[in-house]
Amino acid sequence: MFKQLVLGAAMALAFTAVQAEALTGTLKKIKDTDSITVGYRESSIPFSYLDGNGRPIGYAMELCGKVVDAVKADLKMPNLKVNYAPVTSSNRIPLLENGTIDLECGSTTNSVARQKQVAFGPTYFIINVSAAVKKDSGINDFAQLGGKTIVTTSGTTSVPLLKKYEKTKDLDFKEIYGKDHAESFLLMADGRAVAFVMDDILLAGQIANSKDPAAYKILPGSLRSEPYSMMLRKDDPQFKALVDRTIDGVMKSGEINKIYAKWFTSAIPPKGINLNFPETPAIKEAFAHPNDKGVE
C-alpha cells in the first residue's frame, strides 16, 4: 500500500511537471514571469476608459477580468500580478505582437484583415460605423459631408471605410486624425472638423460625457456593422482556448446580460451618465451563439 501511495505521488508530481513543461505561448509567459499585462484604452467609453481616479474600467475590462480570473485558477496562481498598460488604436497590435501586453481589452473590431496578425475572443459587441455632428451644422446624412473636413481616430477601421465610401460615392473629404477618440471628438466640437466618423456606441459615449450633450447628434446612416472583441496573440491555441471557454461560459450562463446592463443601460462612472443603449438583435444573437467571426 505504501509503495502504491509513493508511486501515485510520484506519478502526480511527474504529471504536474509535464503540465508545466507543456505550457506554451501566453500561458507559459505568464507562468514564467508571474504576471499578466492587460492593455486598455483611455477613452473608449464604456468599453475601456479611465474613471475619476485614473483607474481603467469598463465593459471590456470587466470581461477581461473574467479571463484573468480563469488564468489564476487554471495555473493555480491566485496571487498572479496583473499589470495594466494603456494602448491606442495605432499601437495596440504592435504592443500585443511584441509581448508588451498579453490581452487587449477595448473597442477593437475583429476583421479578417486583422486576423492575419492577431486572434480574437468571442464577439462581445456589434456596432454600426456612423458619424457625430453638431445639431446646428445642417448635416443630416453622409452625402452632405462631401467637400468638408471630417475627423476619425488614427488606426481604426473607419479610415479605410471612409476612403472606400469616398471613392464609391465620388465624394471628396478632407480627413484629419485624432490620436484617440477623445481628441477626435474635441476636433469636431471645436469646429476643426464638421463630423467625427466612428462606431455609434463610442460616439454616444463621447457625446454623453461632453459639456453639452444636447448640442450633438449621430447621423442615421451606417458605413457597415462590425464585431468587437478582446484581442490576443495569433497561433496561441492554449490561451485562445482559455479565452473562448471563459467568455462562452459568461454568455451561455446569462451573466453577460447583467454585465451589459451595468455598462449600457445604467449610470456609469465618472459622471453617472446612462448611455441608454439596450441590446440590439445582433448583439443578442452574438451572445446566444458565441463566435469569433471577423468582418471582411
Side-chain angles (χ1 to χ4, degrees):
M1 182 67 178
F2 178 73
K3 289 183 178 180
Q4 288 179 325
L5 289 173
V6 172
L7 181 60
M11 290 177 66
L13 288 172
F15 179 69
T16 302
V18 168
Q19 278 189 311
E21 291 174 3
L23 289 178
T24 61
T26 299
L27 291 181
K28 183 178 187 305
K29 176 177 180 288
I30 292 170
K31 187 73 172 180
D32 291 345
T33 62
D34 195 25
S35 67
I36 182 172
T37 301
V38 175
Y40 68 90
R41 302 294 296 275
E42 294 182 311
S43 60
S44 287
I45 302 166
F47 297 91
S48 181
Y49 65 105
L50 299 176
D51 66 9
N53 297 314
R55 181 174 62 96
I57 59 172
Y59 173 69
M61 293 299 295
E62 186 161 342
L63 290 177
C64 282
K66 300 290 185 182
V67 172
V68 171
D69 288 343
V71 169
K72 290 179 178 179
D74 279 22
L75 298 185
K76 295 179 174 57
M77 301 175 70
N79 298 316
L80 177 69
K81 183 179 181 182
V82 183
N83 301 314
Y84 296 95
V87 301
T88 66
S89 298
S90 297
N91 69 18
R92 56 190 167 185
I93 290 179
L95 291 179
L96 183 65
E97 289 182 311
N98 69 19
T100 301
I101 61 173
D102 300 309
L103 187 65
E104 192 265 346
C105 311
S107 51
T108 300
T109 294
N110 176 0
S111 69
V112 172
R114 284 176 174 163
Q115 287 180 1
K116 296 176 181 178
Q117 297 175 275
V118 296
F120 292 87
T123 295
Y124 54 55
F125 200 85
I126 295 178
I127 59 88
N128 286 298
V129 179
S130 189
V133 299
K134 291 183 178 179
K135 288 182 178 178
D136 62 7
S137 67
I139 295 172
N140 297 305
D141 58 54
F142 277 94
Q144 292 178 275
L145 297 176
K148 296 180 172 61
T149 299
I150 58 177
V151 62
T152 190
T153 305
S154 179
T156 66
T157 56
S158 297
V159 177
L161 281 177
L162 274 172
K163 294 185 182 299
K164 181 179 179 181
Y165 184 84
E166 185 177 25
K167 183 177 180 180
T168 302
K169 300 297 183 180
D170 195 26
L171 297 174
D172 182 25
F173 300 137
K174 179 182 178 183
E175 299 155 16
I176 59 176
Y177 304 96
K179 66 179 177 63
D180 58 26
H181 304 319
E183 181 176 270
S184 294
F185 185 84
L186 186 60
L187 288 170
M188 183 271 293
D190 286 348
R192 291 181 57 187
V194 299
F196 172 23
V197 176
M198 188 45 58
D199 309 343
D200 55 359
I201 183 59
L202 297 180
L203 296 176
Q206 291 297 322
I207 290 172
N209 281 274
S210 67
K211 294 179 180 179
D212 184 13
Y216 308 97
K217 66 180 180 180
I218 299 175
L219 297 183
S222 172
L223 296 181
R224 74 169 175 181
S225 296
E226 298 181 346
Y228 278 2
S229 188
M230 59 187 70
M231 192 166 55
L232 49 148
R233 274 182 282 278
K234 189 176 174 62
D235 300 323
D236 190 353
Q238 283 188 350
F239 191 51
K240 167 71 170 160
L242 182 147
V243 170
D244 288 351
R245 168 171 53 82
T246 302
I247 303 304
D248 282 4
V250 172
M251 291 179 176
K252 292 178 179 177
S253 70
E255 185 181 4
I256 188 68
N257 302 114
K258 295 179 181 179
I259 297 174
Y260 186 98
K262 174 182 175 180
W263 294 102
F264 295 97
T265 60
S266 305
I268 61 173
K271 297 182 179 180
I273 293 171
N274 188 332
L275 298 180
N276 291 310
F277 204 97
E279 292 178 25
T280 64
I283 291 172
K284 290 179 180 178
E285 175 67 16
F287 292 167
H289 302 96
N291 70 89
D292 62 356
K293 184 178 180 181
V295 66
E296 294 288 345

